[in-house]
Amino acid sequence: MSELRRPRPHGGAVAWLESLDDSQLYLSAVTLGEMEVFNPFVAAG
């Protein structure tokens, strides 16, 4: 996930993700929590 969040993600990572069907993609609760905590676009409370 971190690669895809970069300003210019690696083309191979983007191509791999685009080759998958949405039903093949899963995120764990831990990953979602980390994305929320470490998201640079979320303003501090």
Side-chain angles (χ1 to χ4, degrees), residues 4-16:
L4 298 172
R5 295 170 51 111
R6 293 177 184 245
R8 295 180 60 201
H10 187 275
V14 174
W16 168 78

Side-chain angles (χ1 to χ4, degrees), residues 18-33:
E18 290 175 345
S19 74
L20 299 174
D21 186 77
D22 289 350
S23 66
Q24 295 176 288
L25 303 175
Y26 299 92
L27 293 175
S28 71
V30 172
T31 300
L32 293 173

